[in-house]
PDB file of all heavy atoms in Angstrom:
ATOM      1  N   LEU U1173      -1.013  -1.283   2.943  1.00 96.00           N
ATOM      2  CA  LEU U1173       0.359  -0.875   2.578  1.00 96.00           C
ATOM      3  C   LEU U1173       1.267  -0.853   3.797  1.00 96.00           C
ATOM      4  O   LEU U1173       2.418  -1.280   3.704  1.00 96.00           O
ATOM      5  CB  LEU U1173       0.306   0.550   1.958  1.00 96.00           C
ATOM      6  CG  LEU U1173      -0.106   0.644   0.499  1.00 96.00           C
ATOM      7  CD1 LEU U1173      -0.242   2.095   0.067  1.00 96.00           C
ATOM      8  CD2 LEU U1173       0.874  -0.064  -0.383  1.00 96.00           C
ATOM      9  N   ASP U1174       0.775  -0.373   4.916  1.00 96.00           N
ATOM     10  CA  ASP U1174       1.597  -0.374   6.126  1.00 96.00           C
ATOM     11  C   ASP U1174       1.940  -1.799   6.526  1.00 96.00           C
ATOM     12  O   ASP U1174       3.063  -2.088   6.940  1.00 96.00           O
ATOM     13  CB  ASP U1174       0.845   0.321   7.275  1.00 96.00           C
ATOM     14  CG  ASP U1174       0.706   1.815   7.020  1.00 96.00           C
ATOM     15  OD1 ASP U1174       1.488   2.392   6.239  1.00 96.00           O
ATOM     16  OD2 ASP U1174      -0.201   2.440   7.642  1.00 96.00           O
ATOM     17  N   GLU U1175       0.982  -2.697   6.389  1.00 96.00           N
ATOM     18  CA  GLU U1175       1.214  -4.114   6.722  1.00 96.00           C
ATOM     19  C   GLU U1175       2.287  -4.705   5.788  1.00 96.00           C
ATOM     20  O   GLU U1175       3.169  -5.398   6.242  1.00 96.00           O
ATOM     21  CB  GLU U1175      -0.113  -4.855   6.572  1.00 96.00           C
ATOM     22  CG  GLU U1175      -0.180  -6.159   7.300  1.00 96.00           C
ATOM     23  CD  GLU U1175      -1.582  -6.735   7.206  1.00 96.00           C
ATOM     24  OE1 GLU U1175      -2.539  -6.112   7.709  1.00 96.00           O
ATOM     25  OE2 GLU U1175      -1.675  -7.854   6.657  1.00 96.00           O
ATOM     26  N   LEU U1176       2.168  -4.387   4.505  1.00 96.00           N
ATOM     27  CA  LEU U1176       3.147  -4.895   3.533  1.00 96.00           C
ATOM     28  C   LEU U1176       4.522  -4.294   3.790  1.00 96.00           C
ATOM     29  O   LEU U1176       5.530  -4.979   3.643  1.00 96.00           O
ATOM     30  CB  LEU U1176       2.691  -4.584   2.112  1.00 96.00           C
ATOM     31  CG  LEU U1176       1.509  -5.404   1.611  1.00 96.00           C
ATOM     32  CD1 LEU U1176       1.045  -4.885   0.274  1.00 96.00           C
ATOM     33  CD2 LEU U1176       1.840  -6.862   1.547  1.00 96.00           C
ATOM     34  N   LYS U1177       4.596  -3.029   4.186  1.00 96.00           N
ATOM     35  CA  LYS U1177       5.878  -2.403   4.490  1.00 96.00           C
ATOM     36  C   LYS U1177       6.522  -3.104   5.695  1.00 96.00           C
ATOM     37  O   LYS U1177       7.714  -3.342   5.710  1.00 96.00           O
ATOM     38  CB  LYS U1177       5.696  -0.910   4.803  1.00 96.00           C
ATOM     39  CG  LYS U1177       5.497  -0.072   3.588  1.00 96.00           C
ATOM     40  CD  LYS U1177       5.307   1.402   3.967  1.00 96.00           C
ATOM     41  CE  LYS U1177       5.005   2.271   2.792  1.00 96.00           C
ATOM     42  NZ  LYS U1177       4.801   3.696   3.163  1.00 96.00           N
ATOM     43  N   ASP U1178       5.714  -3.398   6.717  1.00 95.00           N
ATOM     44  CA  ASP U1178       6.234  -4.103   7.882  1.00 95.00           C
ATOM     45  C   ASP U1178       6.763  -5.497   7.507  1.00 95.00           C
ATOM     46  O   ASP U1178       7.820  -5.917   7.942  1.00 95.00           O
ATOM     47  CB  ASP U1178       5.160  -4.241   8.964  1.00 95.00           C
ATOM     48  CG  ASP U1178       4.827  -2.892   9.596  1.00 95.00           C
ATOM     49  OD1 ASP U1178       5.633  -1.959   9.485  1.00 95.00           O
ATOM     50  OD2 ASP U1178       3.733  -2.785  10.207  1.00 95.00           O
ATOM     51  N   ASN U1179       5.981  -6.189   6.628  1.00 96.00           N
ATOM     52  CA  ASN U1179       6.436  -7.514   6.181  1.00 96.00           C
ATOM     53  C   ASN U1179       7.717  -7.401   5.378  1.00 96.00           C
ATOM     54  O   ASN U1179       8.623  -8.243   5.520  1.00 96.00           O
ATOM     55  CB  ASN U1179       5.364  -8.174   5.313  1.00 96.00           C
ATOM     56  CG  ASN U1179       4.176  -8.659   6.130  1.00 96.00           C
ATOM     57  OD1 ASN U1179       4.258  -8.791   7.318  1.00 96.00           O
ATOM     58  ND2 ASN U1179       3.072  -8.888   5.446  1.00 96.00           N
ATOM     59  N   LEU U1180       7.820  -6.376   4.544  1.00 96.00           N
ATOM     60  CA  LEU U1180       9.032  -6.154   3.750  1.00 96.00           C
ATOM     61  C   LEU U1180      10.233  -5.892   4.637  1.00 96.00           C
ATOM     62  O   LEU U1180      11.308  -6.450   4.431  1.00 96.00           O
ATOM     63  CB  LEU U1180       8.822  -5.010   2.780  1.00 96.00           C
ATOM     64  CG  LEU U1180       9.977  -4.683   1.844  1.00 96.00           C
ATOM     65  CD1 LEU U1180      10.232  -5.869   0.921  1.00 96.00           C
ATOM     66  CD2 LEU U1180       9.667  -3.442   1.045  1.00 96.00           C
ATOM     67  N   LYS U1181      10.076  -5.050   5.666  1.00 96.00           N
ATOM     68  CA  LYS U1181      11.144  -4.777   6.595  1.00 96.00           C
ATOM     69  C   LYS U1181      11.609  -6.043   7.315  1.00 96.00           C
ATOM     70  O   LYS U1181      12.784  -6.300   7.479  1.00 96.00           O
ATOM     71  CB  LYS U1181      10.739  -3.717   7.605  1.00 96.00           C
ATOM     72  CG  LYS U1181      10.699  -2.310   7.002  1.00 96.00           C
ATOM     73  CD  LYS U1181      10.284  -1.286   8.046  1.00 96.00           C
ATOM     74  CE  LYS U1181      10.165   0.085   7.421  1.00 96.00           C
ATOM     75  NZ  LYS U1181       9.722   1.091   8.384  1.00 96.00           N
ATOM     76  N   THR U1182      10.633  -6.839   7.745  1.00 95.00           N
ATOM     77  CA  THR U1182      10.939  -8.101   8.398  1.00 95.00           C
ATOM     78  C   THR U1182      11.698  -9.025   7.490  1.00 95.00           C
ATOM     79  O   THR U1182      12.689  -9.635   7.901  1.00 95.00           O
ATOM     80  CB  THR U1182       9.616  -8.789   8.890  1.00 95.00           C
ATOM     81  OG1 THR U1182       8.907  -7.898   9.733  1.00 95.00           O
ATOM     82  CG2 THR U1182       9.905 -10.066   9.634  1.00 95.00           C
ATOM     83  N   GLN U1183      11.267  -9.128   6.245  1.00 96.00           N
ATOM     84  CA  GLN U1183      11.948 -10.002   5.297  1.00 96.00           C
ATOM     85  C   GLN U1183      13.356  -9.485   4.980  1.00 96.00           C
ATOM     86  O   GLN U1183      14.293 -10.280   4.816  1.00 96.00           O
ATOM     87  CB  GLN U1183      11.121 -10.146   3.999  1.00 96.00           C
ATOM     88  CG  GLN U1183       9.893 -10.972   4.184  1.00 96.00           C
ATOM     89  CD  GLN U1183       9.060 -11.077   2.903  1.00 96.00           C
ATOM     90  OE1 GLN U1183       9.366 -10.466   1.910  1.00 96.00           O
ATOM     91  NE2 GLN U1183       7.995 -11.857   2.961  1.00 96.00           N
ATOM     92  N   GLN U1184      13.513  -8.160   4.905  1.00 95.00           N
ATOM     93  CA  GLN U1184      14.836  -7.621   4.674  1.00 95.00           C
ATOM     94  C   GLN U1184      15.770  -7.925   5.874  1.00 95.00           C
ATOM     95  O   GLN U1184      16.929  -8.283   5.648  1.00 95.00           O
ATOM     96  CB  GLN U1184      14.756  -6.103   4.452  1.00 95.00           C
ATOM     97  CG  GLN U1184      14.211  -5.704   3.113  1.00 95.00           C
ATOM     98  CD  GLN U1184      14.041  -4.208   2.963  1.00 95.00           C
ATOM     99  OE1 GLN U1184      14.021  -3.472   3.958  1.00 95.00           O
ATOM    100  NE2 GLN U1184      13.922  -3.744   1.715  1.00 95.00           N
ATOM    101  N   ASN U1185      15.253  -7.791   7.041  1.00 95.00           N
ATOM    102  CA  ASN U1185      16.057  -8.127   8.234  1.00 95.00           C
ATOM    103  C   ASN U1185      16.435  -9.595   8.229  1.00 95.00           C
ATOM    104  O   ASN U1185      17.558  -9.974   8.557  1.00 95.00           O
ATOM    105  CB  ASN U1185      15.313  -7.775   9.522  1.00 95.00           C
ATOM    106  CG  ASN U1185      15.179  -6.276   9.731  1.00 95.00           C
ATOM    107  OD1 ASN U1185      15.944  -5.503   9.184  1.00 95.00           O
ATOM    108  ND2 ASN U1185      14.202  -5.872  10.510  1.00 95.00           N
ATOM    109  N   GLN U1186      15.486 -10.463   7.871  1.00 95.00           N
ATOM    110  CA  GLN U1186      15.766 -11.906   7.821  1.00 95.00           C
ATOM    111  C   GLN U1186      16.778 -12.210   6.720  1.00 95.00           C
ATOM    112  O   GLN U1186      17.648 -13.062   6.894  1.00 95.00           O
ATOM    113  CB  GLN U1186      14.468 -12.681   7.585  1.00 95.00           C
ATOM    114  CG  GLN U1186      13.549 -12.695   8.770  1.00 95.00           C
ATOM    115  CD  GLN U1186      12.216 -13.373   8.472  1.00 95.00           C
ATOM    116  OE1 GLN U1186      11.913 -13.708   7.328  1.00 95.00           O
ATOM    117  NE2 GLN U1186      11.423 -13.595   9.516  1.00 95.00           N
ATOM    118  N   THR U1187      16.686 -11.488   5.602  1.00 95.00           N
ATOM    119  CA  THR U1187      17.625 -11.662   4.503  1.00 95.00           C
ATOM    120  C   THR U1187      19.020 -11.273   4.944  1.00 95.00           C
ATOM    121  O   THR U1187      20.027 -11.986   4.628  1.00 95.00           O
ATOM    122  CB  THR U1187      17.209 -10.838   3.290  1.00 95.00           C
ATOM    123  OG1 THR U1187      15.892 -11.232   2.883  1.00 95.00           O
ATOM    124  CG2 THR U1187      18.150 -11.037   2.108  1.00 95.00           C
ATOM    125  N   ILE U1188      19.141 -10.192   5.653  1.00 95.00           N
ATOM    126  CA  ILE U1188      20.459  -9.757   6.162  1.00 95.00           C
ATOM    127  C   ILE U1188      21.021 -10.785   7.113  1.00 95.00           C
ATOM    128  O   ILE U1188      22.211 -11.122   7.036  1.00 95.00           O
ATOM    129  CB  ILE U1188      20.324  -8.358   6.853  1.00 95.00           C
ATOM    130  CG1 ILE U1188      20.042  -7.298   5.796  1.00 95.00           C
ATOM    131  CG2 ILE U1188      21.571  -8.025   7.630  1.00 95.00           C
ATOM    132  CD1 ILE U1188      19.667  -5.949   6.368  1.00 95.00           C
ATOM    133  N   ILE U1189      20.185 -11.320   8.009  1.00 95.00           N
ATOM    134  CA  ILE U1189      20.650 -12.347   8.955  1.00 95.00           C
ATOM    135  C   ILE U1189      21.132 -13.577   8.175  1.00 95.00           C
ATOM    136  O   ILE U1189      22.172 -14.152   8.493  1.00 95.00           O
ATOM    137  CB  ILE U1189      19.517 -12.719   9.944  1.00 95.00           C
ATOM    138  CG1 ILE U1189      19.262 -11.521  10.878  1.00 95.00           C
ATOM    139  CG2 ILE U1189      19.855 -13.960  10.724  1.00 95.00           C
ATOM    140  CD1 ILE U1189      18.034 -11.666  11.735  1.00 95.00           C
ATOM    141  N   VAL U1190      20.360 -14.012   7.149  1.00 94.00           N
ATOM    142  CA  VAL U1190      20.748 -15.179   6.393  1.00 94.00           C
ATOM    143  C   VAL U1190      22.056 -14.917   5.634  1.00 94.00           C
ATOM    144  O   VAL U1190      22.932 -15.804   5.592  1.00 94.00           O
ATOM    145  CB  VAL U1190      19.614 -15.570   5.394  1.00 94.00           C
ATOM    146  CG1 VAL U1190      20.096 -16.584   4.382  1.00 94.00           C
ATOM    147  CG2 VAL U1190      18.417 -16.113   6.191  1.00 94.00           C
ATOM    148  N   GLN U1191      22.214 -13.711   5.080  1.00 93.00           N
ATOM    149  CA  GLN U1191      23.470 -13.397   4.391  1.00 93.00           C
ATOM    150  C   GLN U1191      24.653 -13.443   5.333  1.00 93.00           C
ATOM    151  O   GLN U1191      25.746 -13.940   4.984  1.00 93.00           O
ATOM    152  CB  GLN U1191      23.353 -12.025   3.746  1.00 93.00           C
ATOM    153  CG  GLN U1191      22.536 -11.968   2.486  1.00 93.00           C
ATOM    154  CD  GLN U1191      22.371 -10.543   1.941  1.00 93.00           C
ATOM    155  OE1 GLN U1191      22.681  -9.570   2.627  1.00 93.00           O
ATOM    156  NE2 GLN U1191      21.888 -10.468   0.739  1.00 93.00           N
ATOM    157  N   GLU U1192      24.470 -12.944   6.537  1.00 91.00           N
ATOM    158  CA  GLU U1192      25.556 -12.998   7.544  1.00 91.00           C
ATOM    159  C   GLU U1192      25.905 -14.438   7.873  1.00 91.00           C
ATOM    160  O   GLU U1192      27.091 -14.774   7.959  1.00 91.00           O
ATOM    161  CB  GLU U1192      25.162 -12.228   8.780  1.00 91.00           C
ATOM    162  CG  GLU U1192      25.116 -10.722   8.578  1.00 91.00           C
ATOM    163  CD  GLU U1192      24.553 -10.004   9.792  1.00 91.00           C
ATOM    164  OE1 GLU U1192      24.091 -10.651  10.753  1.00 91.00           O
ATOM    165  OE2 GLU U1192      24.549  -8.737   9.784  1.00 91.00           O
ATOM    166  N   LYS U1193      24.900 -15.280   8.017  1.00 90.00           N
ATOM    167  CA  LYS U1193      25.167 -16.680   8.323  1.00 90.00           C
ATOM    168  C   LYS U1193      25.866 -17.388   7.163  1.00 90.00           C
ATOM    169  O   LYS U1193      26.757 -18.201   7.373  1.00 90.00           O
ATOM    170  CB  LYS U1193      23.840 -17.418   8.639  1.00 90.00           C
ATOM    171  CG  LYS U1193      23.293 -17.064  10.002  1.00 90.00           C
ATOM    172  CD  LYS U1193      21.994 -17.809  10.288  1.00 90.00           C
ATOM    173  CE  LYS U1193      21.439 -17.438  11.652  1.00 90.00           C
ATOM    174  NZ  LYS U1193      20.217 -18.151  11.973  1.00 90.00           N
ATOM    175  N   VAL U1194      25.451 -17.051   5.940  1.00 89.00           N
ATOM    176  CA  VAL U1194      26.109 -17.654   4.762  1.00 89.00           C
ATOM    177  C   VAL U1194      27.572 -17.221   4.716  1.00 89.00           C
ATOM    178  O   VAL U1194      28.449 -18.043   4.432  1.00 89.00           O
ATOM    179  CB  VAL U1194      25.354 -17.232   3.474  1.00 89.00           C
ATOM    180  CG1 VAL U1194      26.189 -17.527   2.231  1.00 89.00           C
ATOM    181  CG2 VAL U1194      24.022 -17.938   3.385  1.00 89.00           C
ATOM    182  N   GLU U1195      27.864 -15.970   5.034  1.00 86.00           N
ATOM    183  CA  GLU U1195      29.235 -15.500   5.035  1.00 86.00           C
ATOM    184  C   GLU U1195      30.041 -16.220   6.102  1.00 86.00           C
ATOM    185  O   GLU U1195      31.211 -16.606   5.878  1.00 86.00           O
ATOM    186  CB  GLU U1195      29.280 -13.984   5.233  1.00 86.00           C
ATOM    187  CG  GLU U1195      28.821 -13.183   4.046  1.00 86.00           C
ATOM    188  CD  GLU U1195      28.718 -11.713   4.315  1.00 86.00           C
ATOM    189  OE1 GLU U1195      29.093 -11.267   5.414  1.00 86.00           O
ATOM    190  OE2 GLU U1195      28.253 -10.993   3.426  1.00 86.00           O
ATOM    191  N   GLU U1196      29.440 -16.418   7.274  1.00 85.00           N
ATOM    192  CA  GLU U1196      30.125 -17.157   8.347  1.00 85.00           C
ATOM    193  C   GLU U1196      30.404 -18.594   7.902  1.00 85.00           C
ATOM    194  O   GLU U1196      31.510 -19.115   8.118  1.00 85.00           O
ATOM    195  CB  GLU U1196      29.291 -17.141   9.611  1.00 85.00           C
ATOM    196  CG  GLU U1196      29.223 -15.823  10.321  1.00 85.00           C
ATOM    197  CD  GLU U1196      28.259 -15.856  11.526  1.00 85.00           C
ATOM    198  OE1 GLU U1196      27.857 -16.959  11.934  1.00 85.00           O
ATOM    199  OE2 GLU U1196      27.939 -14.788  12.020  1.00 85.00           O
ATOM    200  N   GLU U1197      29.404 -19.223   7.324  1.00 87.00           N
ATOM    201  CA  GLU U1197      29.567 -20.606   6.864  1.00 87.00           C
ATOM    202  C   GLU U1197      30.617 -20.678   5.756  1.00 87.00           C
ATOM    203  O   GLU U1197      31.371 -21.659   5.690  1.00 87.00           O
ATOM    204  CB  GLU U1197      28.228 -21.182   6.347  1.00 87.00           C
ATOM    205  CG  GLU U1197      27.222 -21.413   7.460  1.00 87.00           C
ATOM    206  CD  GLU U1197      27.647 -22.505   8.407  1.00 87.00           C
ATOM    207  OE1 GLU U1197      28.276 -23.488   7.979  1.00 87.00           O
ATOM    208  OE2 GLU U1197      27.367 -22.345   9.629  1.00 87.00           O
TER     209      GLU U1197
END
Side-chain angles (χ1 to χ4, degrees):
L1173 280 174
D1174 292 339
E1175 200 174 298
L1176 288 173
K1177 284 180 184 177
D1178 291 340
N1179 287 343
L1180 182 63
K1181 285 180 183 177
T1182 303
Q1183 288 179 357
Q1184 285 176 342
N1185 290 338
Q1186 290 175 350
T1187 302
I1188 290 170
I1189 291 170
V1190 168
Q1191 285 176 346
E1192 289 173 355
K1193 287 182 180 179
V1194 166
E1195 289 174 4
E1196 288 175 13
E1197 290 294 323

